[in-house]
Amino acid sequence: MTASRFGTFRKAIVRPPGPGFEKGITSSRLGPPDLAKAQEQHEAYCRALERCGVEVIRLEADACFPDSTFVEDVAVLTPRNAILARPGAESRLGEVAGIRGELARHFTSVRAIEDPGTLDGGDICEAGEVVFIGVSRRTNEEGARQLAAILEEEGLTPIPVDIRASKQLLHLKSGIACLDAGVLALVPELAARPEFAGFQVVPVDPEEEYAANCVRVNDRILLADGFPRFLAAIRERRYEPIVLDVSEFRKMDGGLSCISLRF
């Protein structure tokens, strides 16, 4: 999750992939990523954010942590707080220290998820006053409980969504995106769940599930290249898309939301 009001952002923190990117955690069978191509794709993503009116804050690549380009996982940003996450993969715990100082420059309140809680930012989806919290292979019940308590202090409504039984979804935002007030893009296994009752659903075709990880940024929607049916659905609803190639990030289980912290 990142601090927003239906996708209204002024700034974004990014970190390009660095040497060793191919050593990160992945369950995909798409082969190893090409670092040079990934860096080109990352820069194109940054330019797209700038086209949307966002100031991009570029951190240096961190060769010590191959997954560190996925900055969304290490923090949850709300209008009042920067909340340091506690990644569910032990190899990623060290990434949190690398983002703390930058967040402190922008937020007067920096809080943290504490042990034994684990939480990845990719499991958090803001939908206005409602915040969906995925309980997953990376975010446990205690991490979700700690975050929910902070969100409730801000007057937000946290709703847990247990996806631990899913064979497809690593994070909740692997299958959901908030496109607008009351409008969600959802993959089939989430579309009928009671947690999302009352929302208008833009369905994502079963053969295009990766496309669900799109991002509303101000008046545009960033979405992955190669998914024509979802692109058509976005255009039918009069959203303005920016289509981006993120093939090398997909090889590392990453998507468009994962590679920036927007606020």
Side-chain angles (χ1 to χ4, degrees):
M1 171 182 163
T2 49
S4 71
R5 178 63 57 184
F6 306 124
T8 301
F9 304 110
R10 295 183 179 178
K11 299 181 180 182
I13 298 171
V14 302
R15 188 188 297 278
F21 178 50
E22 76 284 353
K23 297 178 182 177
I25 305 166
T26 184
S27 61
S28 84
R29 299 178 180 178
L30 299 174
D34 180 308
L35 177 58
K37 187 174 181 181
Q39 291 169 334
E40 291 175 1
Q41 292 176 353
H42 190 272
E43 182 56 31
Y45 176 85
C46 292
R47 291 196 301 270
L49 291 174
E50 290 170 340
R51 285 171 59 193
C52 296
V54 174
E55 175 191 347
V56 177
I57 300 162
R58 291 170 166 83
L59 305 182
E60 293 184 2
D62 189 344
C64 295
F65 297 101
D67 292 299
S68 59
T69 190
F70 301 120
V71 291
E72 184 184 56
D73 284 329
V74 296
V76 175
L77 307 182
T78 75
R80 285 170 46 187
N81 293 287
I83 304 150
L84 296 170
R86 191 168 182 275
E90 187 173 355
S91 63
R92 300 195 63 187
L93 288 171
E95 295 176 31
V96 177
I99 204 79
R100 182 191 300 265
E102 187 61 41
L103 293 177
R105 282 188 272 274
H106 303 282
F107 289 82
T108 56
S109 174
V110 179
R111 303 175 70 170
I113 300 300
E114 304 288 348
D115 188 26
T118 63
L119 186 136
D120 276 17
D123 277 317
I124 315 305
C125 179
E126 180 200 17
E129 301 302 315
V130 171
V131 179
F132 297 108
I133 305 175
V135 179
S136 69
R137 285 172 274 169
R138 299 288 178 85
T139 295
N140 64 16
E141 292 182 7
E142 173 59 18
R145 184 198 66 77
Q146 291 181 32
L147 178 61
I150 296 172
L151 296 175
E152 287 173 343
E153 290 176 12
E154 296 195 35
L156 300 171
T157 302
I159 297 179
V161 182
D162 193 332
I163 59 168
R164 286 175 289 186
S166 175
K167 296 180 180 180
Q168 303 296 326
L169 303 178
L170 173 64
H171 289 126
L172 180 62
K173 282 206 289 200
S174 302
I176 182 175
C178 184
L179 302 179
D180 209 335
V183 183
L184 300 174
L186 291 171
V187 297
E189 73 172 281
L190 296 179
R193 291 190 57 149
E195 294 94 336
F196 308 116
F199 284 83
Q200 178 184 343
V201 174
V202 178
V204 181
D205 190 277
E207 296 181 1
E208 295 191 351
E209 290 196 353
Y210 182 75
N213 186 252
C214 57
V215 186
R216 170 77 182 265
V217 181
N218 301 334
D219 295 327
R220 309 296 295 272
I221 293 180
L222 311 186
L223 65 155
D225 188 25
F227 303 97
R229 279 168 279 191
F230 187 66
L231 175 59
I234 291 295
R235 286 177 168 156
E236 285 173 7
R237 288 161 176 81
R238 299 187 182 278
Y239 296 118
E240 294 191 38
I242 297 178
V243 179
L244 295 166
D245 183 2
V246 284
S247 61
E248 304 314 294
F249 296 92
R250 187 180 185 185
K251 292 175 181 178
M252 303 308 295
D253 287 342
L256 285 162
S257 76
C258 309
I259 51 180
S260 66
L261 270 170
R262 304 161 300 280
F263 60 103

